[in-house]
Amino acid sequence: MLIQGLDQADTAGALAETLLAAIAAPFRAAGEEVVLTASAGVTVFPDDGMESGAILNNAAVAMRQAKQRGGGRAEIYSRELSDTSLRRLNVETELRRAIDREELRIFFQPKVRVETGRGSGCEVLVRWQHPERGIVGPDKCIPIAEETGLIVPLGEWVLRAACNQTADWLRAGLRVPRFSVNVASPQFRTQRFPALVAPALQDADLDPRFLSLELTESAMMEDAPRSIRALQELKEIGVRLSIDDFGTGYSSLAYLKRFPLNEIKIDKSFVMGVDRDVDNAAIVIAIIAMARGLGLSVCAEGVETKSQLALLKRHACDECQGFLFSKPVPAETFGKMLGAPAPARAMA
Ligand code: C2E
Ligand code: CA
Ligand code: CA
């Protein structure tokens, strides 16, 4: 919409809010109640730009911001918004090329049995070795990869890289533990997903029992009936299934029972305060008891101190993972840990 004769952006913003409220009013169509929402971006001529192209672009940047903040709202363009959006665009363009340019790496973080302190597995975590910016963590690139759909090729690359690395270690005679690969929600939702897993294992000539897949609660709950089918398909391949960041999303406990899971991972936000905060301790203890009742293995993430470990031990948590034992390390370092004498040999 082009609105003339307004004195400031706020007036246009208020007008946009009024329009959005009118659009959001429910109406009936073919006997059904329908609710529509819209998002709006506001920009002002000539303050934000002189050319039609720039003005339309600024409005689009503001609208994208409105959508990212949950939609159904209006945002007013600002210079900062444009800078952020440009930075995102750069990351997106570079991330697209990162796979072909072999800039992605996988790191490994050991999982440890709480009772014995021995290694029992590892989690595979992606890192981006950027030619200028150095190592870029997943917090900077995974969300953008998820929004743009790049997570699908990126996730497949991680899965294949992890299978190949494990197969290499096995061929080298190392006692290799089970490894867990993260599967993002948009990746899990693609029709192709379960069908990607078996070929990745076959191409690496790897027994499916080595692989565990970590999915978040929200990924599974989004379309629960479809998820059950996809999870069953994965189960038939012979891989293990784990629910990640448990406690942060909202899980239907009724569904939890119907998903063919092997493991629950307690989110680190609960584990990290477990020795200081009675509420966190109560939550962790309850999750361990629930997992036990459902016949699932339970792993606590983000264990940094001995007192956290002690509490987990008292409540018979099965496995844990955290900086107390090791940070995520490059494949080469992890390979050495596998070959080294105790405590790392404990990995097997
Ligand atoms: P996540 O799956 O919950 O992974 C565990 C994160 O906790 C890792 O962060 C790990 O470094 C960190 N962590 C482990 N122990 C401790 C601890 O004792 N203290 C603290 N403060 N942190 C600890 P990272 O590697 O930065 O990964 C962040 C997230 O990015 C992961 O969370 C996961 O959701 C995502 N991610 C990483 N790699 C991949 C991937 O290959 N595919 C997908 N889809 N997501 C990935
Ligand atoms: Ca994980
Ligand atoms: Ca997690």
Side-chain angles (χ1 to χ4, degrees):
M1 291 176 69
L2 191 63
I3 304 164
Q4 283 179 295
L6 292 175
D7 46 358
Q8 50 185 340
D10 285 350
T11 325
L15 186 63
E17 301 278 1
T18 311
L19 284 168
L20 296 182
I23 291 170
F27 61 92
R28 295 190 79 79
E32 298 281 337
E33 179 144 307
V34 180
V35 179
L36 285 180
T37 59
S39 299
V42 176
T43 189
V44 176
F45 168 87
D47 308 13
D48 299 335
M50 295 294 284
E51 289 164 20
S52 58
I55 291 168
L56 282 173
N57 188 49
N58 292 346
V61 164
M63 184 187 64
R64 223 173 301 136
Q65 178 74 7
K67 286 187 179 171
Q68 266 163 26
R69 292 193 171 158
R73 56 188 286 158
E75 288 290 336
I76 296 172
Y77 172 82
S78 71
R79 189 71 257 157
E80 277 154 56
L81 263 188
S82 167
D83 288 350
T84 331
S85 113
L86 204 64
R87 230 176 296 132
R88 286 183 63 89
L89 200 66
N90 285 340
V91 174
E92 185 187 331
T93 316
E94 291 182 89
L95 195 54
R96 267 181 209 286
R97 287 181 290 207
I99 300 179
D100 298 332
R101 295 186 177 176
E102 301 186 358
E103 291 170 5
L104 298 179
R105 305 275 178 275
I106 44 174
F107 275 44
F108 295 79
Q109 186 181 36
K111 275 173 82 176
V112 171
R113 291 215 71 84
V114 170
E115 207 188 314
T116 59
R118 291 178 163 240
S120 54
C122 62
E123 176 168 6
V124 178
L125 296 154
V126 75
R127 298 288 182 266
W128 178 12
Q129 179 73 55
H130 190 280
E132 284 122 44
R133 273 183 279 181
I135 292 202
V136 181
D139 52 325
K140 301 255 166 22
C141 59
I142 295 284
I144 297 179
E146 288 192 4
E147 273 167 40
T148 53
L150 282 172
I151 193 71
V152 176
L154 187 151
E156 185 175 1
W157 181 88
V158 171
L159 176 66
R160 286 185 168 268
C163 290
N164 292 335
Q165 179 63 75
T166 304
D168 280 352
W169 281 328
L170 282 171
R171 273 191 295 271
L174 298 177
R175 298 185 69 186
V176 181
R178 180 183 288 139
F179 63 101
S180 304
V181 172
N182 291 288
V183 181
S185 180
Q187 210 183 338
F188 182 59
R189 277 202 306 272
T190 60
Q191 290 302 325
R192 257 162 42 98
F193 182 73
L196 287 181
V197 176
L201 288 160
Q202 276 152 17
D203 292 348
D205 198 13
L206 197 66
D207 191 317
R209 279 178 312 170
F210 279 104
L211 175 64
S212 183
L213 297 174
E214 295 189 2
L215 292 120
T216 59
E217 290 171 89
S218 42
M220 294 193 201
M221 292 300 162
E222 213 155 310
D223 178 356
R226 194 203 79 92
S227 293
I228 293 179
R229 286 195 300 276
L231 293 173
Q232 247 141 18
E233 217 176 302
L234 290 166
K235 198 87 237 216
E236 277 157 27
I237 297 171
V239 301
R240 279 168 60 94
L241 298 170
S242 174
I243 189 162
D244 203 0
D245 304 342
F246 189 78
T248 57
Y250 81 111
S251 270
S252 148
L253 296 180
Y255 269 118
L256 201 57
K257 218 175 54 179
R258 293 176 55 196
F259 291 142
L261 298 171
N262 301 91
E263 179 193 64
I264 287 184
K265 291 188 91 173
I266 310 176
D267 190 67
K268 57 177 174 290
S269 59
F270 303 119
V271 177
M272 289 171 84
V274 86
D275 46 351
R276 277 176 278 118
D277 179 322
V278 284
D279 293 338
N280 278 339
I283 292 171
V284 167
I285 294 164
I287 298 177
I288 296 173
M290 185 197 69
R292 175 110 329 108
L294 292 171
L296 302 174
S297 174
V298 54
C299 174
E301 282 188 316
V303 178
E304 292 185 352
T305 67
K306 286 188 175 152
S307 64
Q308 290 162 357
L309 180 67
L311 184 133
L312 295 169
K313 207 170 195 169
R314 270 203 307 282
H315 293 277
C317 181
D318 299 300
E319 283 176 290
C320 68
Q321 186 181 333
F323 296 171
L324 178 63
F325 299 97
S326 168
K327 291 200 166 179
V329 293
E332 205 190 325
T333 314
F334 192 67
K336 285 189 189 129
M337 286 161 81
L338 293 177
R345 194 178 26 201
M347 295 274 92

